[in-house]
Amino acid sequence: MAYSGRQLHSMIDASGNLTLSLKQVIVPDPDDDEVIVRVEATPINPSDLGLLLGPADVSSLKEDSAGSRLTFTIPPGRLGPVAGRLGQSLAAGGEGAGTVVAAGKNAAEFVGKTVAMLAGGMYSDYRLIRAENVVVVPDGATAAQSASMFVNPQTSLGFVETARLEGHKAIIHAPAASNLGRMLQRICLADDIPLINIVRSQAQVEIMRSLGATRILNSNDDDFVARLTDEIAAVEATVAFDAIGGGSLGSTILHAMERAAIRNMKVYDRYGSDTFKQLYIYGNLDQSETIINRAGLGYNWGACGWLLPPFLQKIGEDGADRLRKRIVDELTTTFSSHYTRTITLSEALQPEILRAYARRAAGEKFLVNPALG
Ligand SMILES: NC(=O)c1ccc[n+]([C@@H]2O[C@H](COP(=O)([O-])OP(=O)(O)OC[C@H]3O[C@@H](n4cnc5c(N)ncnc54)[C@H](OP(=O)(O)O)[C@@H]3O)[C@@H](O)[C@H]2O)c1
């Protein structure tokens, strides 16, 4: 029996209009090694918003009279980075979980099981996928608990692995109160790795403290830079992961690392410290230009992007299996995700709800459950 269901699509036309709509799609029968999953929980991560809304101006939102599609305009200067997707209707939603409702003959044992996957096109009623690409969730875990078991858990573990592989003793992270940042804090506590958490409000300081964090800095405090330098010097942090991306925070962190390193130098060197400092930009929460002020920074530093798929390639299948095993073992503790609200697929297209999840605010992650409507 072929399954039919809705799928949330995003399309940008050549004039810079972005349209979100629900399309009715037929899911073909699974072949011998495939399963069909009824999607029951799929998070809205910032990377999903990147595909759903691209660089569109959310305030330009218009709803059609039937309420079945939303359109936005993209300011002309922002079309360049999305030139490669113009005219293509793209299915959104990176990861999620649900119940296997049909399977080919080699995958029959999956029927009825709750599985999780990182597959794309997850904002759908049904998702056809090869059985080898799903993970059967641990006994007792729900689809909602398993919906975010790939992107943020693997990335936060990836930061710790990267720091270890490159010989860094301590990590700096911003923005720390994100879903990912909370996982990183729990990992660093368990693995005894000093972590300097950068947040931007007192409420976020309290959130991190409640997780056991001891090094928390509010970037809006007057003494932020001085305290950052002191914390870095205390734990000899030489690597930072920054998802804010735009603006000058990355530069501020590099300078604080340089000043902390210079404190420990016995002899002055006009080329700066002999300690290598690394800034990884792994997100684009602030879409403005990245500003790095080189004056006084010396020459012993690097700034580049960090992305999960190339990292997973680098550590190979054994490495990825090791991460996956820890995630499954600690799914409801270290890697638990909190959602403010569960919405249906149709609600994802309601203007007020879209404006709320498009804010990407700390502790306000949304979960979509297409099975609810
Ligand atoms: N490179 C990779 O492979 C990779 C993999 C996974 C995730 N990521 C990135 O990791 C980041 C966090 O993801 P998540 O799912 O954990 O996000 P999340 O739970 O939705 O949290 C988003 C956080 O970003 C903060 N924020 C939003 N805009 C900001 C801005 N302009 N300046 C400073 N802080 C801002 C929010 O704080 P406020 O409440 O103060 O706004 C909140 O703490 C995202 O950028 C995502 O794209 C990258």
Side-chain angles (χ1 to χ4, degrees):
M1 176 191 101
Y3 283 80
S4 163
R6 301 156 305 160
Q7 191 166 61
L8 182 52
H9 278 238
S10 170
M11 215 271 284
I12 303 176
D13 68 21
S15 320
N17 299 309
L18 183 147
T19 304
L20 295 183
S21 62
L22 284 176
K23 289 190 183 305
Q24 199 66 31
V25 291
I26 305 280
V27 181
D29 289 336
D31 77 14
D32 291 353
D33 299 305
E34 289 178 330
V35 296
I36 296 178
V37 180
R38 182 180 62 228
V39 181
E40 291 155 353
T42 166
I44 303 181
N45 286 324
S47 53
D48 299 315
L49 291 170
L51 191 141
L52 269 180
L53 298 173
D57 175 3
V58 176
S59 69
S60 68
L61 183 157
K62 286 201 185 77
E63 188 180 18
D64 75 350
S65 52
S68 60
R69 60 180 58 218
L70 300 178
T71 54
F72 305 80
T73 49
I74 296 179
R78 294 200 204 157
L79 260 182
V82 288
R85 60 170 282 191
L86 296 187
Q88 297 174 46
S89 189
L90 302 175
E95 62 183 335
T99 305
V100 175
V101 291
K105 71 171 195 270
N106 299 334
E109 78 269 22
F110 286 90
V111 175
K113 299 237 162 79
T114 303
V115 295
M117 70 217 97
L118 174 63
M122 291 304 300
Y123 300 153
S124 306
D125 285 314
Y126 297 101
R127 182 73 173 80
L128 178 72
I129 183 169
R130 291 186 69 75
E132 66 188 4
N133 292 332
V134 302
V135 174
V136 177
V137 311
D139 280 348
T142 62
Q145 285 170 322
S146 316
S148 300
M149 68 185 277
F150 294 93
V151 180
N152 285 343
Q154 287 182 331
T155 303
S156 49
L157 280 173
F159 292 174
V160 171
E161 293 260 331
T162 300
R164 279 197 188 118
L165 285 169
E166 295 177 2
H168 301 285
K169 292 182 189 161
I171 298 171
I172 304 161
H173 182 234
S178 64
N179 177 269
L180 191 157
R182 298 175 202 207
M183 291 180 188
L184 182 63
Q185 174 56 46
R186 294 188 205 110
I187 296 167
C188 287
L189 260 188
D191 293 9
D192 204 16
I193 298 164
L195 174 66
I196 299 171
N197 293 288
I198 300 177
V199 296
R200 63 171 177 177
S201 71
Q202 189 53 34
Q204 292 169 351
V205 170
E206 301 309 330
I207 290 169
M208 297 313 292
R209 195 166 284 145
S210 72
L211 296 177
T214 49
R215 302 178 190 281
I216 316 160
L217 300 169
N218 181 345
S219 58
N220 286 319
D221 283 351
D222 291 341
D223 59 353
F224 167 63
V225 175
R227 285 190 54 217
L228 177 63
T229 311
D230 290 345
E231 292 287 8
I232 290 172
V235 293
E236 297 178 50
T238 47
V239 63
F241 294 90
D242 168 25
I244 296 167
S248 57
L249 180 67
S251 183
T252 301
I253 296 171
L254 279 171
H255 277 270
M257 288 197 277
E258 172 68 355
R259 274 194 302 277
I262 283 175
R263 275 188 200 169
N264 296 330
M265 284 175 72
K266 304 225 166 13
V267 181
Y268 169 75
D269 185 329
R270 69 196 154 119
Y271 294 118
S273 82
D274 52 3
T275 302
F276 184 73
K277 302 154 289 290
Q278 176 68 51
L279 169 68
Y280 284 115
I281 295 181
Y282 76 98
N284 191 28
L285 290 163
D286 176 341
Q287 298 184 9
S288 69
E289 200 178 334
T290 305
I291 298 159
I292 294 189
N293 174 9
R294 290 186 302 104
L297 198 49
Y299 293 88
N300 219 350
W301 57 276
C304 64
W306 193 102
L307 194 65
L308 180 60
F311 167 75
L312 290 175
Q313 267 181 357
K314 194 159 131 188
I315 61 171
E317 259 184 44
D318 286 353
D321 282 349
R322 185 163 35 79
L323 302 195
R324 214 168 295 131
K325 181 173 180 333
R326 181 166 180 185
I327 294 164
V328 169
D329 288 348
E330 300 174 30
L331 183 63
T332 55
T333 51
T334 312
F335 301 107
S336 72
S337 292
H338 167 77
Y339 305 100
T340 334
R341 185 162 172 189
T342 299
I343 58 173
T344 64
L345 210 42
S346 330
E347 283 173 333
L349 288 189
Q350 286 182 14
E352 279 322 305
I353 293 178
L354 182 140
R355 286 189 194 101
Y357 64 70
R359 284 179 47 223
R360 302 168 170 89
E364 287 187 25
K365 201 174 274 299
F366 280 59
L367 192 68
V368 181
N369 182 350
L372 292 179

